[in-house]
Amino acid sequence: MTKSSFQIGELLIVELEHFQQLLDALWNRDFAVYGPTVKDMAIVHDEVKAVYDFPIGWTDEQEAAHYQLKKTGNGALFNYVVGPHTWKKYLFPPKVSLWEAKKEGALFEILPDKSSPPKMAFIGIRACDLSAIMIQDNIFTKGDYKDSIYLRNRKNNFILAVNCTKSGGGCFCISMGTGPKATKGFDLALTEIIDDKRHYFLFEVGSELGGEILSQVTTQAAGETEKQTVEKAINQAKNQMGRALDTRGIKELLYDNSEHPRWDDVASRCLTCGNCTMVCPTCFCSNIEDYTDLTGKLANRQRRWDSCFTLEHSYIHGGSVRSSVKARYRQWLTHKFASWIDQFGTSGCVGCGRCITWCPSGIDVTEEIKEIRRSVKVSTAV
Amino acid sequence: MGNRRKPRLAVWKFASCDGCQLSLLDCEDELLAVAGEVEIANFPEASRAIIGRSYDISLVEGSITTPHDAERIHKVRRASGILITIGACATSGGIQALRNFKDVKEFTSIVYASPQYIETLNKSTPITDHISVDFQLNGCPINKYQLVEVLSAYLNGRKPNIPSYSTCIECKLKGNVCVMVAHGTPCLGPVTHAGCGSICPAYNRGCYGCFGPKETPNTAALSWQWKKLGINDENLVRAFRGFNANADAFRKESEAHEK
Ligand code: SF4
Ligand code: SF4
Ligand code: SF4
Ligand code: SF4
């Protein structure tokens, strides 16, 4: 069945053998297509041209400080959760040049930026990561100060979300209200189903562009059985959640316990390596660095990701405000789960579990908060 | 810079392998620019000429291991405007600081036929133990781009962009997959100063700590994790006793695992 376009909300089936048509349709429209692929024994985000670039038959096993790929034997394309990369690497790149300038005599000339805004398609964004993008949209594109680089990168996107049918050891999207099903912010969303006879995807159209792209793919109308199968599969992910977090009164809990002994305990384990903030899909801190060449005739201002775990992050005249490990860990946890709410109106955490998996020390944010809550309950009960 | 005379640059060598000086020679394209901007007045690896007696910028390679060098470094300090130490030897004592954990007399008596002629100190020490320095560039060897960055910064009166955070941050900026988490490979990255560009993890190996301790290194917490990966005390001692064995944090951690 081909049609000139599908309506928002329509549900369609695409068989595995036709999935390539979707990638082709995007490349033909001049999108650079980024999706999941295996590199160095992890599922990362990179350019994907063909179905065989996908992590076919791979799944990931995750725990605190542990990530391992495993072969499943089924040919699934999306049977993993989230890996070490986030989508922010495309929208809020790790390193970016803000401007370049040239010195001519006494004059200082800013060189024109001749690059054009990229057209990027993202394949396989999970519900939690989609929420993270919306959080960064809120930070970078609303209010008086807008981030022109983010706006430019975010302008021509195509988003194919993937609903989770399995969840990982670090996942707690249910607690944060972000998953496992994508509900908004996508052009297309799919759920992958493999049963005895078939390997197919149930697509949901989320935008006009999504409808147009899908119309270039061989599809068929979704039947009741297929819809039910998909519901069941997503429920399975809900029931497997590796972790949970009680978010009731979390802001007050953290604000009221800024001197809790648990901060000293976690400080003894924390390496201040910054991995958690780097892999977090919502962390938005950056540092500005001014460079010159040796002659001093060329200058370049660059922006790169920063982390509140570095001393420089809080460096002001006289030294760093957060010199102790305790102060830096507390900054991270309190910003994510408490002061973010005051600052942006939502939690800074979407429950993706990356900071738990990729912390080389195995520090678990849900565990730290649980411990603080537990002791407070105990002390108020006394 | 107009008609101002070119700043004079000197490179000084103490106990070292010359690898860091060679990083400067290895700059190829950049070296031409360096040569254009500064007068290279004392550079043992590149020429024998020694011009004048004072230098605007001195790069010091190597550690102090002899009584003679312990005096010479003061002369270098007096002759220098800005003094920058380059490499693990100059900043922490280098691989030769392994002697600091042993009895040097015993070594000399085994190695030399006439040990009475050997004049050497018991310890290999970093330059900062002897004089004040303006900037320390870590690495074994240093990263040539960082060297050019520090020189550019001093020549243009700006702050050098040499972050002292972990190697992990470099890994993440690059998009490396963490070898410790994904492969169970022990890695010193979480306690190691950035600068190399995370070369080893990019090739699926753990970090060897060539750039020495980062700011606020929590070596004890990392050792704990290494033990979970099956590394015993003996190998922890070895890991922390590399090119930066004498750097405070690494020395203390290796000693903590020595029985
Ligand atoms: S704080 Fe951790 S779990 Fe929450 S969004 Fe960031 S990385 Fe994911
Ligand atoms: S947690 Fe730290 S790195 Fe992340 S946004 Fe907040 S201050 Fe920045
Ligand atoms: S919590 Fe973990 S990942 Fe974050 S800085 Fe500490 S040790 Fe590193
Ligand atoms: S590979 Fe090593 S340096 Fe890189 S993030 Fe992992 S622990 Fe840190």
Side-chain angles (χ1 to χ4, degrees):
Chain A
M1 177 168 87
T2 50
K3 222 165 121 179
S4 67
S5 185
F6 292 113
Q7 300 297 309
I8 294 176
E10 265 189 89
L11 298 175
L12 285 307
I13 300 286
V14 175
E15 300 291 336
L16 172 68
E17 67 210 82
H18 300 131
F19 190 79
Q20 180 67 43
Q21 295 173 358
L22 179 86
L23 302 176
D24 295 342
L26 290 165
W27 282 107
N28 288 339
R29 285 219 184 187
D30 296 325
F31 280 103
V33 186
Y34 301 106
T37 195
V38 175
K39 186 194 150 224
D40 295 332
M41 289 311 282
I43 293 165
V44 300
H45 301 149
D46 209 339
E47 215 173 75
V48 283
K49 290 228 154 84
V51 172
Y52 56 73
D53 289 331
F54 283 68
I56 301 170
W58 287 105
T59 192
D60 50 5
E61 181 190 276
Q62 300 193 35
E63 251 316 312
H66 174 79
Y67 178 99
Q68 198 175 2
L69 283 193
K70 293 245 158 95
K71 271 275 181 199
T72 59
N74 78 12
L77 269 47
F78 300 103
N79 194 22
Y80 59 89
V81 281
V82 291
H85 289 184
T86 60
W87 300 97
K88 79 178 177 186
K89 77 170 190 175
Y90 297 111
L91 301 171
F92 166 54
K95 277 185 186 170
V96 64
S97 168
L98 299 180
W99 49 258
E100 273 194 305
K102 202 170 72 188
K103 192 163 92 178
E104 283 296 359
L107 293 178
F108 179 83
E109 186 201 343
I110 305 264
L111 302 172
D113 173 13
K114 295 201 184 89
S115 62
S116 47
K119 228 178 140 180
M120 297 184 281
F122 304 128
I123 307 296
I125 302 192
R126 303 298 166 139
C128 57
D129 281 354
L130 204 47
S131 289
I133 291 177
M134 288 185 263
I135 287 175
Q136 290 211 326
D137 284 351
N138 188 27
I139 295 166
F140 289 127
T141 71
K142 307 277 156 63
D144 292 342
Y145 304 100
K146 297 182 176 47
D147 188 296
S148 57
I149 297 167
Y150 188 91
L151 276 169
R152 192 171 183 271
N153 291 336
R154 186 75 176 94
K155 201 173 163 191
N156 303 311
N157 295 158
F158 172 87
I159 289 180
L160 169 55
V162 168
N163 297 319
C164 293
T165 54
K166 107 169 205 186
S167 49
C171 295
F172 56 106
C173 62
I174 293 214
S175 306
M176 304 317 290
T178 60
K181 188 176 192 297
T183 53
K184 57 175 190 289
F186 54 83
D187 295 296
L188 290 173
L190 70 76
T191 311
E192 181 177 38
I193 300 292
I194 301 179
D195 60 27
D196 302 343
K197 291 171 240 90
R198 279 168 82 199
H199 184 168
Y200 65 92
F201 306 94
L202 177 78
F203 274 83
E204 180 186 345
V205 179
S207 75
E208 234 171 82
L209 175 64
E212 270 172 51
I213 296 283
L214 198 60
S215 71
Q216 291 167 35
V217 180
T218 310
T219 54
Q220 61 205 61
E224 273 320 304
T225 350
E226 285 143 342
K227 288 182 201 167
Q228 278 168 17
T229 311
V230 161
E231 276 319 306
K232 251 203 245 154
I234 296 173
N235 274 330
Q236 183 180 311
K238 286 187 190 163
N239 298 331
Q240 286 172 346
M241 278 302 133
R243 280 170 163 72
L245 180 71
D246 180 357
T247 58
R248 284 171 302 164
I250 195 165
K251 192 176 90 177
E252 293 72 21
L253 179 75
L254 293 174
Y255 281 172
D256 293 347
N257 289 287
S258 58
E259 291 305 330
H260 195 280
R262 186 72 184 180
W263 300 117
D264 294 302
D265 183 276
V266 68
S268 72
R269 289 172 279 132
C270 175
L271 303 158
T272 62
C273 61
N275 274 307
C276 47
T277 56
M278 298 279 127
V279 296
C280 179
T282 67
C283 273
F284 58 85
C285 284
S286 62
N287 194 4
I288 305 290
E289 291 173 335
D290 284 328
Y291 289 87
T292 57
D293 68 350
L294 278 159
T295 65
K297 288 195 181 109
L298 270 182
N300 180 213
R301 174 163 287 188
Q302 292 184 17
R303 183 180 82 180
R304 66 155 169 78
W305 287 354
D306 199 4
S307 162
C308 52
F309 282 96
T310 71
L311 279 180
E312 206 179 0
H313 187 275
S314 68
Y315 189 90
I316 55 168
H317 173 78
S320 291
V321 174
R322 290 186 285 272
S323 55
S324 71
V325 178
K326 170 183 165 181
R328 279 176 273 163
Y329 188 85
R330 185 175 51 197
Q331 161 64 23
W332 138 262
L333 201 75
T334 311
H335 191 206
K336 296 267 90 159
F337 292 92
S339 53
W340 203 291
I341 302 172
D342 284 334
Q343 197 180 3
F344 302 112
T346 66
S347 175
C349 173
V350 296
C352 73
R354 283 186 180 87
C355 58
I356 302 169
T357 298
W358 298 99
C359 169
S361 216
I363 296 171
D364 174 348
V365 287
T366 65
E367 207 48 49
E368 296 311 313
I369 295 171
K370 218 177 280 167
E371 274 308 305
I372 292 178
R373 192 185 288 281
R374 192 182 55 80
S375 67
V376 170
K377 264 197 204 139
V378 170
S379 63
T380 49
V382 175
Chain B
M1 276 190 225
N3 320 324
R4 232 182 55 199
R5 98 174 150 79
K6 279 190 195 173
R8 262 205 293 264
L9 175 84
V11 186
W12 307 93
K13 179 185 157 59
F14 289 82
S16 62
C17 75
D18 282 21
C20 289
Q21 289 190 58
L22 289 174
S23 299
L24 185 55
L25 281 182
D26 193 29
C27 284
E28 288 143 14
D29 303 339
E30 297 87 354
L31 190 62
L32 289 175
V34 175
E37 293 312 307
V38 296
E39 177 191 335
I40 301 180
N42 180 19
F43 188 1
E45 271 294 338
S47 86
R48 302 219 155 261
I50 294 178
I51 311 163
R53 278 162 183 272
S54 71
Y55 306 92
D56 299 286
I57 300 179
S58 276
L59 300 176
V60 176
E61 179 198 81
S63 68
I64 304 299
T65 55
T66 65
H68 171 246
D69 275 357
E71 265 178 42
R72 187 163 64 102
I73 188 63
H74 287 278
K75 290 188 191 141
V76 171
R77 175 71 272 187
R78 280 196 294 276
S80 312
I82 298 288
L83 189 146
I84 302 164
T85 57
I86 57 171
C89 301
T91 55
S92 76
I95 191 79
Q96 59 274 28
L98 286 177
R99 67 159 72 171
N100 300 10
F101 301 91
K102 297 276 174 324
D103 182 2
V104 175
K105 280 205 193 81
E106 219 174 282
F107 286 148
T108 47
S109 65
I110 296 169
V111 174
Y112 298 100
S114 313
Q116 67 272 26
Y117 298 119
I118 301 297
E119 208 182 327
T120 186
L121 297 169
N122 285 335
K123 286 191 153 83
S124 167
T125 46
I127 303 300
T128 42
D129 279 12
H130 301 265
I131 56 163
S132 68
V133 306
D134 298 288
F135 196 85
Q136 306 199 68
L137 195 55
N138 293 27
C140 184
I142 52 166
N143 173 330
K144 65 174 184 178
Y145 300 106
Q146 287 208 324
L147 179 60
V148 172
E149 166 59 13
V150 171
L151 288 176
S152 303
Y154 276 100
L155 290 173
N156 293 293
R158 66 172 172 88
K159 173 176 164 276
N161 296 303
I162 307 287
S164 53
Y165 50 53
S166 67
T167 303
C168 300
I169 291 189
E170 286 197 308
C171 258
K172 290 296 183 280
L173 292 176
K174 251 185 153 168
N176 284 352
V177 172
C178 175
V179 302
M180 189 135 154
V181 169
H183 311 159
T185 303
C187 180
L188 281 179
V191 296
T192 300
H193 197 292
C196 67
S198 266
I199 302 173
C200 291
Y203 289 95
N204 292 326
R205 298 167 72 155
C207 165
Y208 290 93
C210 307
F211 277 61
K214 69 166 185 115
E215 58 185 25
T216 67
N218 189 347
T219 50
L222 186 65
S223 292
W224 177 249
Q225 286 305 312
W226 275 44
K227 284 198 168 174
K228 286 195 195 160
L229 296 175
I231 306 301
N232 61 16
D233 282 313
E234 193 188 335
N235 285 319
L236 274 166
V237 173
R238 286 214 183 105
F240 283 103
R241 261 176 217 176
F243 315 107
N244 290 282
N246 187 54
D248 238 26
F250 286 7
R251 180 173 40 75
K252 285 184 187 143
E253 193 57 29
S254 76
E255 281 165 353
H257 297 278
E258 204 168 35
K259 279 181 219 130

